[in-house]
Amino acid sequence: TKPSPFLNPGQTTKAGSLAIVHLSRDNLVPAILDDTVGEVNGYAEGTVINTRFGSFPHSTLIGQPWGSQIRASVVDTGSRGRKRKVRDDTDEPSNDTEEAASAKKPATAASGFVHVLPPTPEIWTMSLPHRTQVVYTPDYSYILHRIRARPGMRIIEAGAGSGSFTHASVRAVYNGYPTAAEDRKGKVYSFEFNEARFQAMEREVKAHDLSDLVQITHRDVYNDGFLVNGESPEADCVFLDLPAPWKALPHLSRHRPATEAVNGQDQPWVSPLRSDRAVHLCTFSPCIEQVTRTVDAMRRLGWMEIEMVEVAHKRIGVLRERVGLNMPGDRGSNQSPYDVAEAVNRLREVEGRFKEFHGRNQKAAKSANDDDVDMNDSVEASAAETNGAGREAAAEPPSDNAPSVPSFMMGRLVHRTEPEIKTHTSYLVFAVLPQEWTEEQEAAAFEKWPCGK
Ligand code: SAM
């Protein structure tokens, strides 16, 4: 089997494999890189991603080291009858400076750039096609830690929904391909009863080369439980993101529950859980009424250490406030001389980088459309010009007593906290089903540690 780009991305992007095209912090586009040449959806270049930063034929994204910056290409969309774009990601407004600069250019011109990133569960959560509500990183990182998901474990997950949790959990349990007979291969057993979502998940799992590690089953788990082809997944941990977890819990028992009606009453009971270890479970429910019903069922079914947690995630932004480029005496300026020294320093740095790119030719340096201009540089340079501290001022050597501040230390260090917690996601209910000891296990344990002898 091909290694999954989520687990072993290798050094470079590959044709036929998933890559994440990073337009800006909040705008990420997943793409299976397609090396088909010839006319595809109206483009002679093959598949093209169209963005507000320009057009990116897949051919320019393939075989690149992960993290590379990729320049836009000029692609011909007009002469072939304006056929539909393969992807158009121009819908989301953004405040990024580089976006603002790039946005001025027409979509088909070679104007901006993107970065090509390897997929990770975190990036996938930010970019995946939403079919349902999803579990986000702050919740799933805590959940996976609490249910003790680690390499070699088997996880039951229901419902699969949009696969956000699935991707995080497969990375948590992945332990390569163990060769030793006693090593278990980590695996995710995922269940989804909505047919369209099940099929979409199946396609995704295959496209992401995870088929070997994620077993997706089309199933109503309330009625039909968690066995796969009649066999036990031998799960170490369980995550239920379902509207009524208490309806699924009777199937997650070591014995046929006496108090619950479960299917296959006449069949011998097969538990989907691992028998020789404690099993850790988490349910994820937005309403407190769901929690009380779930906890009630857990108590009746022998689950212990029941605890409810809510992850209240708050983002704290730590940044350096950029120094304005106004000069003292300019209208609205209240800068200290220290700020001025910083500003001059900054301008000198920008100037230096400009010269590096364009030699000493002033004319070429002023051309913001020049293909070789780094977008960030041109934004900063033009900001300097429009802020009134012209190039001449920048070229002026600063006075001897001006402090020299490295660029990463410029500006004031500030941190800003989100004023309040934005959204309640869900209540997490954790519980443990203890290991049950058979007579044989007791005897074997006594043999191993004969503390009484
Ligand atoms: N955890 C998922 C993620 O991170 O993308 C989202 C899960 S979504 C909120 C809940 C899913 O449970 C839905 O896709 C729904 O179809 C599925 N579901 C609801 N009842 C079910 C049942 N009885 N058996 C299996 N799946 C069920």
Side-chain angles (χ1 to χ4, degrees), residues 12 16 33 42 47 54 65 85 111 123 161 189 195-196 215 248 267 282 290 329 358 370 376 396 413 429 449:
T12 56
L33 299 178
T47 307
K85 294 170 183 173
S111 52
I123 295 180
Y189 293 86
E195 177 141 26
Q215 170 111 38
Q267 307 286 323
C282 174
Q290 291 166 299
H358 301 285
D370 191 317
N376 298 324
E396 207 81 62
L413 186 65
V429 181
W449 294 292

Side-chain angles (χ1 to χ4, degrees), residues 106-223:
T108 50
S111 52
F113 58 81
V114 293
H115 289 91
V116 61
L117 305 181
T120 63
E122 291 73 23
I123 295 180
W124 181 246
T125 298
M126 290 167 72
S127 59
L128 58 77
H130 276 231
R131 303 180 281 270
T132 59
Q133 291 276 358
V134 306
V135 183
Y136 287 95
T137 302
D139 282 312
Y140 64 58
S141 46
Y142 183 71
I143 294 166
L144 288 164
H145 157 72
R146 284 287 307 262
I147 63 174
R148 304 192 184 181
R150 56 189 190 276
M153 301 279 115
R154 298 188 186 170
I155 296 192
I156 284 178
E157 172 210 32
S162 307
S164 170
F165 187 85
T166 319
H167 284 79
S169 56
V170 74
R171 182 185 57 188
V173 300
Y174 176 65
N175 61 340
Y177 294 90
T179 44
E182 69 272 20
D183 285 350
R184 300 187 340 147
K185 188 163 82 181
K187 194 158 174 170
V188 179
Y189 293 86
S190 185
F191 298 83
E192 173 57 56
F193 89 147
N194 177 292
E195 177 141 26
R197 287 178 207 148
F198 160 74
Q199 281 171 357
M201 266 299 285
E202 246 194 347
R203 278 194 302 275
E204 257 167 26
V205 163
K206 197 161 173 237
H208 298 173
D209 300 306
L210 290 168
S211 308
D212 203 30
L213 303 166
V214 177
Q215 170 111 38
I216 166 97
T217 304
H218 184 214
R219 169 84 53 82
D220 172 358
V221 296
Y222 298 158
N223 287 315

